[in-house]
Amino acid sequence: MIVYPHETHPEPGAAVEVAPDILWLRLPLPMALDHVNVYALRDADGWTLIDTGLNARRCRTAWEAATAGALAGAPVVRVLVTHHHPDHVGLAGWFQDRGAELLMTRTAWLFARMLTLDAQDRATPEQVAFWQGAGMAPDILEKRREERPFNFADMVAPMPLGFTRIDEGQRLRLGGRDWIVRLGHGHAPDHATLWCEDGDLVIGGDQLLPSISPNLGVYATEPMADPVADWIGACLKLRPHATEAQLVLPGHKLPFTGLPDRLRQMIENHESALDRLRAHLAEAPRTAAECFAPLFRRRIDEGTYGLALVEAVAHLNHLLHLGEVTRERRADGAWLWSPAVSSP
């Protein structure tokens, strides 16, 4: 059973002690998911931060208030980033400039540094072709052709050259505790989770969230990826290490216990979505953009359209890799997906 020991969350700049020498902070985000959780672990030489928030004024202001208040003016000596997404790595470089050591998986660091250096004024031809292949609505496609796209560097501080690599199975001493690194996949490649060896604590990032599912998306950078398989595989890999007693510190929402049930739910959520998608495709060939209803069962507006589109492609790719569907290019460039015909 999933239980939330803390019924309320800290306000920006404040902190809640969730375990001895471990503080939970929450930073604001300018999007539908309006916050990210970060954690501060007290060490003899200062603080270790887990994730950072965006490189945005409100996040920096919250950190400055927390440093003077909850962190008691002690220095931030290291930052461990669970994965490369902007709300988690956005201020890593900001802290590095102030003397902090950066710890990340190699894949996460390479993605983050590469993306901060890749600024575009307009969507690239490869990106437009990917959107066309997914069947993006014509009005949205035309708008996105002409507008400046989101660039990683818009919300991520410049990252100095150099980091300390963490990897699968590595043991770290942080906050007076020994942790083992276990990597997840699907939402982000080589997503680091930390499992306390001498206590019932898990730092889950976006790999271990309660009540919501992180986005599993396919992008123009790797159009044939299968993040759904990666996600389910990661849940199965982590399940033997999960116990009812562990307090999970997630990247969003509230800390929780009941990780075995949550891992089971996260697998079943996608298996159920795949079953609904199979039934939807059995009715008629569809583009990815025509698969929102069975996958999400809610209205998708323009603000969530992009995330919905890449997740629809992810689920279709998964069925393609399983050999359950085929696709055919339509005259306008969109892929039409249909159930595979069984051999007699």
Side-chain angles (χ1 to χ4, degrees):
M1 182 174 68
I2 296 171
V3 176
Y4 300 96
H6 300 271
E7 295 181 356
T8 59
H9 59 78
E11 294 300 317
V16 170
E17 189 173 50
V18 291
D21 293 328
I22 298 183
L23 303 182
W24 165 34
L25 302 92
R26 178 174 280 200
L27 303 176
L29 299 178
M31 53 194 73
L33 185 58
D34 63 0
H35 70 276
V36 61
N37 294 329
V38 297
Y39 302 93
L41 284 60
R42 191 194 314 270
D43 285 298
D45 56 349
W47 294 93
T48 296
L49 305 184
I50 309 295
D51 292 336
T52 69
L54 294 172
N55 182 27
R57 180 182 55 81
R58 292 176 66 197
C59 286
R60 292 191 299 270
T61 298
W63 272 124
E64 287 164 351
T67 299
L71 305 190
V76 172
V77 293
R78 64 191 62 83
V79 175
L80 189 152
V81 175
T82 59
H83 62 294
H84 76 275
H85 291 165
D87 51 330
H88 297 263
V89 75
L91 284 169
W94 189 70
F95 282 109
Q96 282 182 280
D97 285 342
R98 287 155 177 78
E101 175 190 13
L102 175 62
L103 287 73
M104 296 179 72
T105 64
R106 177 183 287 166
T107 303
W109 184 82
L110 288 171
F111 262 103
R113 183 161 168 82
M114 177 269 291
L115 289 169
T116 59
L117 300 174
D118 182 25
Q120 306 291 338
D121 183 58
R122 290 291 183 271
T124 64
E126 296 89 349
Q127 180 64 73
V128 172
F130 178 79
W131 288 332
Q132 289 175 318
M136 178 176 276
D139 57 330
I140 297 177
L141 177 63
E142 189 58 30
K143 180 180 178 182
R144 296 200 176 190
R145 279 182 190 270
E146 299 302 323
E147 67 185 4
R148 182 182 182 276
F150 168 79
N151 284 296
F152 202 79
D154 295 341
M155 290 292 181
V156 177
M159 297 178 67
L161 187 65
F163 77 112
T164 299
R165 180 185 177 190
I166 60 174
D167 206 350
E168 176 72 34
Q170 183 177 353
R171 284 171 170 76
L172 301 173
R173 183 74 180 174
L174 302 170
R177 296 170 173 82
D178 292 318
W179 305 83
I180 188 165
V181 178
R182 294 192 171 100
L183 301 187
H185 303 278
H187 175 61
D190 287 354
H191 182 306
T193 63
L194 303 179
W195 301 66
C196 188
E197 290 195 283
D198 48 0
D200 292 322
L201 290 169
V202 179
I203 297 175
D206 285 2
Q207 192 72 37
L208 303 172
L209 296 178
S211 73
I212 59 171
S213 178
N215 183 254
L216 308 184
V218 170
Y219 298 87
T221 48
E222 192 183 351
M224 294 306 298
D226 186 359
V228 174
D230 293 340
W231 177 259
I232 293 173
C235 290
L236 292 171
K237 172 192 140 183
L238 295 174
R239 195 156 63 175
H241 306 290
T243 70
E244 292 291 341
Q246 287 160 334
L247 177 64
V248 182
L249 307 180
H252 303 277
K253 302 295 185 178
L254 300 174
F256 67 98
T257 61
L259 183 55
D261 280 347
R262 184 58 188 148
L263 286 166
R264 175 186 53 79
Q265 288 176 0
M266 291 194 294
I267 295 170
E268 291 177 352
N269 285 346
H270 288 285
E271 289 178 341
S272 297
L274 290 166
D275 284 341
R276 297 192 300 271
L277 182 58
R278 291 179 180 103
H280 189 61
L281 296 177
E283 296 173 356
R286 315 278 188 178
T287 67
E290 293 168 339
C291 293
F292 292 172
L295 287 174
F296 307 112
R297 296 186 292 185
R298 61 183 172 84
R299 181 176 174 273
I300 300 298
D301 58 24
E302 187 173 348
T304 55
Y305 188 96
L307 290 175
L309 192 67
V310 297
E311 184 142 356
V313 175
H315 285 78
L316 289 163
N317 273 8
H318 184 63
L319 294 181
L320 182 67
H321 286 294
L322 290 175
E324 296 187 25
V325 299
T326 61
R327 61 180 190 168
E328 182 177 354
R329 185 80 77 171
R330 205 167 60 184
D332 63 357
W335 290 107
L336 278 175
W337 301 78
S338 305
V341 177
S342 301
S343 300

